[in-house]
Amino acid sequence: MGLKAVVVTVLLAAALSYYIYTPMPDAIQEPWKLMAVDATFRTGMNLAALKYHLGIDHYITSFRRTMEGFDSTMVALVGSRSPAGVVPGVKISDITFAGVPVRVYEPPAGGEGHLRRGLMYLHGGGWAFGSGKMGAYDKVSRVISDELNTVVVSVEYRLFPEVLFPEPFLDCVVAAKHFLSPEVLDKYAIDPERVAVSGDSAGGNLAAAVAQEVATDDSLSVKFSVQALIYPVLQALDFNTPSYVQNRNMAILPRQVMVQFWLQYLGADISLRPQLIANNHSALQHSALTPELRSRLDWTSLLSQKFKKSYKPVVVERDSHGLLKKIPGLLDTRSSPLLAGPEVLAKCPRTYILTCEFDVLRDEGLMYARRLKDAGVSVTSDYYEDGFHGCLSFISWPLDFDVGKRALRSYMTWLQNNL
Ligand SMILES: *[C@@H]1O[C@H](CO)[C@@H](O)[C@H](O)[C@H]1NC(C)=O
């Protein structure tokens, strides 16, 4: 190799490690693996943005294809999803529930007359990506169906940019009401007293919103008996909670990406992002944001000192852009379940909420757990001090994380004991 080639190689290697390297908190146990995952996501986002600027593709659909390519590469490499499935006894059907596409996982038949559990699952992906049929979601649904004798219904709700709020929420409500109808429960031999709604991240947001909708709909004879929320998105009025500030540059879900997901979901312009990051949309001048409403997400009173540390609330006097009028979805409990009043929370079913230290969404999960408890709901708050956003999706070699496997085990044990 000539000197030139050596120099070029060294420079490329340096550029590559600089690109991959992101500082990680000491508590993260497999930092290089997480950096690799993060770099993959960033590359996908950057390639997508580049293609978009070149006018080739909408960046979301493009990133989605990158993700699907990544998923099938991993499957080909690792073989985590043989055509027959990892759990051979589980029967898979891709069908529709009242017009909404779902994948149903039925456990191996038990004894005659034995009723099974039911679980509706809503996948994450910022209301823009993902599918219950992909990677860890599919695998976990199969394992839950088999190990917990559960009929799992994973909902393929529509995504941005094809639809905006409230359409994804409404898809999930339609599927939920169909699932909870006595005929459907009967058809799948599901015990009506043992039906869960669950989801992670943006899917946790939809699960919490659907749980509230079902709990307050008096026309439904069967309700969800539990909700299990995994690092859910629950509010969009404060992007300066201690966890948002602490983890603003954290791998997988930095603050600016989460705010972008919100703006997309609510049909607003992405150029408003700096305003929202500055909390200008919840400025004191907004009379629609009453003190009562603010108290529902006031982390200075809802979080314990352990999480508040010495963080200070970011409260702005004036918003000269009328942001709340421009983006009415910001005040809608169907997008922000944390804004619901105590009378709604009191009707919610027994609850499991998983939160991670290294996640911008940690504090809203903790606050929702606290407010549900205050409203009289039985709540298990499962907090991981070495957890990061999305860790439950990383359970298969080579991108497996110990904390992801522990969290998944704990989530399943809770379902086993409470559903
Ligand atoms: C937030 O609002 C204030 C007052 O209207 C304005 O001065 C400031 O530039 C805004 N911040 C951002 C990031 O736009």
Side-chain angles (χ1 to χ4, degrees):
M1 214 175 353
L3 180 63
K4 225 174 183 175
V6 172
V7 171
V8 168
T9 310
V10 168
L11 283 179
L12 275 178
L16 185 68
S17 39
Y18 178 76
Y19 184 71
I20 293 179
Y21 182 79
T22 24
M24 289 287 160
D26 289 343
I28 297 290
Q29 290 183 355
E30 288 124 313
W32 280 99
K33 234 187 245 183
L34 187 53
M35 282 180 220
V37 170
D38 186 48
T40 309
F41 276 101
R42 274 187 289 130
T43 307
M45 279 295 225
N46 292 345
L47 283 179
L50 186 67
K51 278 202 226 168
Y52 178 60
H53 285 302
L54 296 175
I56 298 171
D57 214 341
H58 193 286
Y59 68 102
I60 292 286
T61 29
S62 161
F63 184 62
R64 218 182 273 161
R65 265 202 299 282
T66 310
M67 295 285 295
E68 280 157 9
F70 180 68
D71 183 56
S72 33
T73 309
M74 291 307 292
V75 169
L77 209 67
V78 185
S80 70
R81 256 192 323 174
S82 60
V86 281
V87 184
V90 175
K91 182 181 159 207
I92 312 288
S93 334
D94 291 317
I95 55 171
T96 58
F97 269 17
V100 178
V102 296
R103 174 171 277 194
V104 181
Y105 302 79
E106 291 174 74
E112 269 302 301
H114 264 91
L115 292 179
R116 292 103 54 103
R117 296 180 171 100
L119 181 138
M120 188 174 107
Y121 197 85
L122 307 171
H123 68 81
W127 306 285
F129 311 113
S131 157
K133 299 172 187 170
M134 260 168 66
Y137 290 123
D138 185 63
K139 180 172 172 176
V140 170
S141 293
R142 287 169 198 253
V143 172
I144 288 180
S145 179
D146 183 51
E147 286 189 25
L148 302 183
N149 192 31
T150 302
V151 177
V152 178
V153 173
S154 196
V155 181
E156 298 294 315
Y157 57 89
R158 286 170 298 162
L159 302 168
F160 177 89
E162 286 78 37
V163 293
L164 306 175
F165 173 78
E167 296 304 326
F169 164 78
L170 295 175
D171 283 356
C172 297
V173 169
V174 166
K177 291 186 174 173
H178 183 81
F179 188 31
L180 292 170
S181 68
E183 306 76 57
V184 173
L185 294 175
D186 191 51
K187 176 179 170 216
Y188 289 104
I190 296 169
D191 184 345
E193 310 270 302
R194 301 174 87 179
V195 190
V197 61
S198 184
D200 64 294
S201 194
N205 166 274
L206 294 166
V210 168
Q212 289 184 1
E213 169 72 20
V214 166
T216 51
D217 184 340
D218 294 331
S219 73
L220 297 172
S221 59
V222 180
K223 310 273 192 188
F224 288 115
S225 29
V226 308
Q227 61 174 338
L229 313 174
I230 299 167
Y231 28 76
V233 183
L234 295 165
Q235 63 87 29
L237 289 177
D238 188 356
F239 292 116
N240 290 276
T241 59
S243 60
Y244 256 113
V245 176
Q246 173 188 293
N247 301 303
R248 61 191 183 281
N249 296 318
M250 184 62 201
I252 301 196
L253 190 64
R255 174 165 65 179
Q256 54 165 335
V257 171
M258 189 61 237
V259 175
Q260 175 177 341
F261 285 151
W262 267 115
L263 287 166
Q264 291 174 173
Y265 185 44
L266 299 180
D269 200 303
I270 292 181
S271 65
L272 298 174
R273 183 159 59 182
Q275 308 262 346
L276 267 65
I277 287 177
N279 270 1
N280 272 7
H281 58 309
S282 53
L284 289 172
Q285 99 191 72
H286 291 293
S287 54
L289 251 176
T290 59
E292 157 66 6
L293 213 43
R294 287 180 193 276
S295 74
R296 295 175 186 174
L297 68 150
D298 178 6
W299 58 263
T300 65
S301 66
L302 292 168
L303 285 185
S304 66
Q305 191 52 44
K306 171 179 176 180
F307 298 108
K308 284 198 274 191
K309 300 204 176 81
S310 56
Y311 288 98
K312 296 276 175 290
V314 172
V315 184
V316 178
E317 286 290 330
R318 292 194 55 76
D319 156 29
S320 42
H321 293 81
L323 291 167
L324 277 187
K325 286 221 175 64
K326 255 187 211 155
I327 322 173
L330 287 169
L331 286 179
D332 198 317
T333 56
R334 297 173 306 167
S335 79
S336 305
L338 186 60
L339 293 181
E343 71 292 348
V344 171
L345 300 195
K347 292 187 171 154
C348 285
R350 179 188 293 263
T351 300
Y352 169 90
I353 301 188
L354 187 148
T355 52
C356 292
E357 174 64 20
F358 302 107
D359 181 0
V360 291
L361 306 174
R362 179 197 71 193
D363 294 344
E364 50 209 74
L366 293 171
M367 287 194 274
Y368 199 45
R370 167 73 192 276
R371 289 198 54 224
L372 284 163
K373 260 183 222 168
D374 289 350
V377 176
S378 160
V379 180
T380 299
S381 181
D382 196 9
Y383 159 76
Y384 290 83
E385 61 184 13
D386 56 344
F388 57 91
H389 190 79
C391 60
L392 264 88
S393 289
F394 300 100
I395 47 167
S396 297
W397 186 87
L399 292 180
D400 53 327
F401 288 83
D402 182 62
V403 65
K405 288 187 271 192
R406 269 186 283 128
L408 175 61
R409 210 17 79 193
S410 169
Y411 162 72
M412 286 182 60
T413 303
W414 187 88
L415 289 173
Q416 172 91 50
N417 295 334
N418 292 278
L419 175 58

